[in-house]
């Protein structure tokens, strides 16, 4: 009798579950793509059909770009740069916040991440052309520029005043600003009742909430060895940021060798830490962005030491020895989908 009742109950629950599945319409997301912050931005909302929310987010991205791009002449960052070694400049709260974070990540990474990298970025001039070049900067030029790179000479003062202490110093927030921007889009989405969305700022991803059926999002991890943008594997997660830095995004070729856009502040050259790509999983995208750049420069060993000192930070390293190094706590979330790469569990 008892077991009959239980069976009946199970039958009712099953029927309800099936009906529920049957009734839920599979909703297409609303989506917009724009070219902003020197990258392709795609915003997708899955649980609301209100395009105005996306437009609001895009407006905010433009505002951030206008304040923080160093190629926009009257941006706060350009004003700081123009006044390096001359005088402090008062900046907007947003800019001050990003600079505080940038300085913090410089400090904890011992300068592997350094927002005063501007003079070196200019010298290398690594755009996205992926073509051949017939010369490199000279060692003398590199040394000269390297002397201008030092986050300790970025002064964050009272009342949002910011000062670069030496003439010729230049801020470049390319390694952190997309993370901040993704966090801001997330904030706008949440404030407008969006609970399920994918925010993609050129590979700097925020997977907001979960899929409409309650499943985790499945985010592809880019293959750094294939510039056409295939995936080496998939990570399943809910409400997390996944930021990838790779040597495939922007580079040029000189005498058969790839020179990419993430620079080592110790040598002044594109970093050669044995990493082809690294993806960092965090709650805040600004942390993930700064850290992805830092870990790329630090390499697996030093990079792992750094993230072990931080809370809620996970990383997937792809090395130039065709290994994918993950921490064991990520194993149940990460699925390798490439036969040529070997999965290595990070012992640290
Ligand atoms: P992407 O911008 O391709 O997503 P990153 O977040 O790693 O990749 O940022 C790389 C950009 O950051 C470079 O284009 C340059 O503007 C800047 N950058 C390069 N090297 C460093 C560094 N060591 N520290 C801070 N920023 C850097
Ligand atoms: Mg970065």
């Amino acid at each position: 009798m008892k077991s009959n009742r239980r069976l009946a109950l199970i039958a009712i629950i099953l029927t309800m579950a099936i009906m529920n599945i049957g009734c839920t319409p599979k909703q297409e997301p609303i989506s917009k793509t724009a070219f902003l912050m020197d990258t392709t931005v795609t915003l997708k909302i899955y649980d609301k059909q209100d395009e105005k929310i996306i437009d609001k987010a895009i407006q905010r991205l433009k505002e951030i770009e206008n304040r923080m791009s160093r190629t926009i002449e009257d941006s706060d960052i350009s004003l700081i740069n123009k006044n390096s070694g001359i005088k402090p400049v008062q900046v907007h709260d947003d800019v001050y916040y990003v600079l505080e974070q940038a300085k913090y990540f410089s400090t904890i990474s011992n300068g592997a991440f350094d927002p005063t990298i501007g003079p070196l970025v200019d010298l290398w001039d690594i755009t996205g052309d992926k073509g051949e070049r017939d010369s490199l900067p000279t060692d003398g030029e590199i040394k000269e520029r390297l002397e201008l790179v030092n986050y300790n000479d970025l002064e964050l003062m009272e009342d949002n005043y910011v000062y670069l202490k030496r003439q010729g110093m230049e801020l470049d927030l390319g390694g952190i600003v997309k993370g901040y921007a993704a966090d801001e889009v997330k904030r706008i989405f949440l404030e407008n009742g969006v609970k399920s969305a994918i925010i993609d700022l050129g590979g700097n991803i925020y997977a907001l909430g979960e899929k409409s059926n309650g499943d985790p999002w499945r985010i592809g991890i880019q293959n750094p060895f294939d510039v056409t943008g295939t995936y080496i594997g998939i990570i399943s997660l809910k409400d997390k940021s996944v930021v990838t830095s790779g040597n495939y995004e922007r580079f040029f070729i000189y005498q058969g060798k790839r020179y990419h856009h993430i620079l080592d502040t110790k040598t002044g050259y594109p970093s050669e830490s044995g990493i082809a790509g690294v993806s960092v999983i965090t709650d805040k995208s600004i942390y993930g962005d700064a850290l992805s750049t830092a870990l790329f420069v630090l390499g697996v060993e030093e990079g792992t030491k750094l993230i072990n000192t931080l809370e809620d930070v996970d990383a997937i390293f792809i090395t130039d020895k065709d290994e994918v190094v993950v921490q064991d706590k990520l194993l149940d979330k990460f699925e390798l989908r490439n036969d040529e790469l070997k999965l290595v569990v990070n012992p640290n």
Side-chain angles (χ1 to χ4, degrees):
M1 183 64 187
K2 232 175 166 184
S3 74
N4 269 352
R5 279 232 308 265
R6 192 175 297 158
L7 272 179
L9 198 63
I10 292 171
I12 290 169
I13 292 170
L14 273 178
T15 317
M16 280 166 63
I18 290 164
M19 276 170 57
N20 193 17
I21 292 165
C23 290
T24 312
K26 198 170 180 303
Q27 209 171 52
E28 286 299 315
I30 53 165
S31 163
K32 266 194 191 171
T33 295
F35 193 81
L36 283 166
M37 303 186 164
D38 216 11
T39 198
T40 306
V41 169
T42 303
L43 306 180
K44 284 187 185 166
I45 296 179
Y46 287 79
D47 61 343
K48 275 200 181 269
Q49 294 290 310
D50 184 354
E51 298 222 353
K52 281 198 218 91
I53 304 171
I54 295 196
D55 293 339
K56 225 186 252 181
I58 287 181
Q59 265 324 104
R60 176 70 179 126
L61 292 177
K62 286 185 184 155
E63 187 174 63
I64 294 170
E65 183 173 23
N66 285 333
R67 288 182 185 148
M68 305 203 201
S69 162
R70 70 188 185 108
T71 54
I72 294 176
E73 238 186 84
D74 59 353
S75 75
D76 279 1
I77 293 301
S78 293
L79 293 179
I80 297 169
N81 290 345
K82 276 185 206 148
N83 285 290
S84 61
I86 302 171
K87 64 172 198 284
V89 170
Q90 196 174 29
V91 298
H92 195 275
D93 283 345
D94 296 350
V95 181
Y96 198 81
Y97 168 76
V98 173
L99 289 175
E100 279 180 320
Q101 297 299 321
K103 194 152 176 177
Y104 169 71
F105 284 101
S106 304
T107 310
I108 64 166
S109 70
N110 202 7
F113 175 86
D114 191 326
T116 67
I117 196 88
L120 263 185
V121 171
D122 287 345
L123 178 66
W124 282 95
D125 186 29
I126 302 175
T127 51
D129 62 16
K130 300 179 182 167
E132 295 263 353
R133 291 210 190 152
D134 52 14
S135 69
L136 290 183
T138 65
D139 284 343
E141 285 171 324
I142 290 170
K143 209 168 151 239
E144 198 179 295
R145 301 290 176 109
L146 203 46
E147 273 162 20
L148 292 167
V149 177
N150 190 342
Y151 63 94
N152 289 307
D153 293 336
L154 163 64
E155 263 195 84
L156 302 178
M157 306 153 84
E158 270 181 25
D159 297 329
N160 286 8
Y161 276 93
V162 179
Y163 184 44
L164 289 171
K165 282 190 191 161
R166 287 175 291 136
Q167 203 143 17
M169 286 185 76
E170 289 224 17
L171 291 168
D172 178 331
L173 298 183
I176 192 168
V177 79
K178 279 183 274 169
Y180 173 69
D183 288 336
E184 282 297 286
V185 174
K186 174 192 160 180
R187 180 179 62 76
I188 289 166
F189 281 3
L190 287 177
E191 280 173 11
N192 286 277
V194 173
K195 294 190 187 72
S196 176
I198 295 286
I199 299 158
D200 181 350
L201 312 185
N204 192 315
I205 292 170
Y206 202 100
L208 178 63
E210 55 193 30
K211 285 190 185 175
S212 42
N213 64 3
D215 282 352
W217 298 107
R218 292 163 59 76
I219 306 295
I221 303 292
Q222 285 246 346
N223 184 347
F225 305 109
D226 178 2
V227 288
T228 60
T230 55
Y231 297 140
I232 59 117
I234 289 173
I235 179 107
S236 298
L237 30 84
K238 292 183 180 181
D239 215 27
K240 290 277 179 193
S241 157
V242 185
V243 182
T244 302
S245 282
N247 62 14
Y248 50 87
E249 304 254 3
R250 293 166 203 264
F251 63 84
F252 67 82
I253 310 277
Y254 172 71
Q255 295 187 344
K257 193 174 153 156
R258 209 192 265 196
Y259 290 80
H260 62 81
H261 73 313
I262 301 175
L263 303 170
D264 187 331
T265 50
K266 293 212 159 67
T267 62
Y269 279 80
S271 105
E272 293 199 48
S273 60
I275 292 184
V278 55
S279 300
V280 180
I281 299 145
T282 48
D283 290 333
K284 272 202 170 201
S285 204
I286 190 168
Y287 300 170
D289 197 1
L291 282 170
S292 72
T293 308
L295 296 192
F296 192 95
V297 174
L298 290 171
V300 176
E301 208 172 303
E302 290 299 310
T304 305
K305 273 189 207 155
L306 173 59
I307 58 173
N308 283 343
T309 65
L310 304 168
E311 257 170 59
D312 298 323
V313 179
D314 292 311
I316 299 169
F317 297 92
I318 304 166
T319 72
D320 53 17
K321 295 199 174 68
D322 297 341
E323 290 169 338
V324 181
V325 185
V326 297
Q327 291 138 302
D328 54 3
K329 61 181 168 174
L330 273 191
L331 279 179
D332 60 338
K333 300 191 184 83
F334 178 70
E335 207 180 301
L336 182 65
R337 291 224 174 152
N338 185 307
D339 300 339
E340 285 154 31
L341 300 173
K342 194 174 135 216
L343 191 65
V344 176
V345 180
N346 197 338
N348 299 300

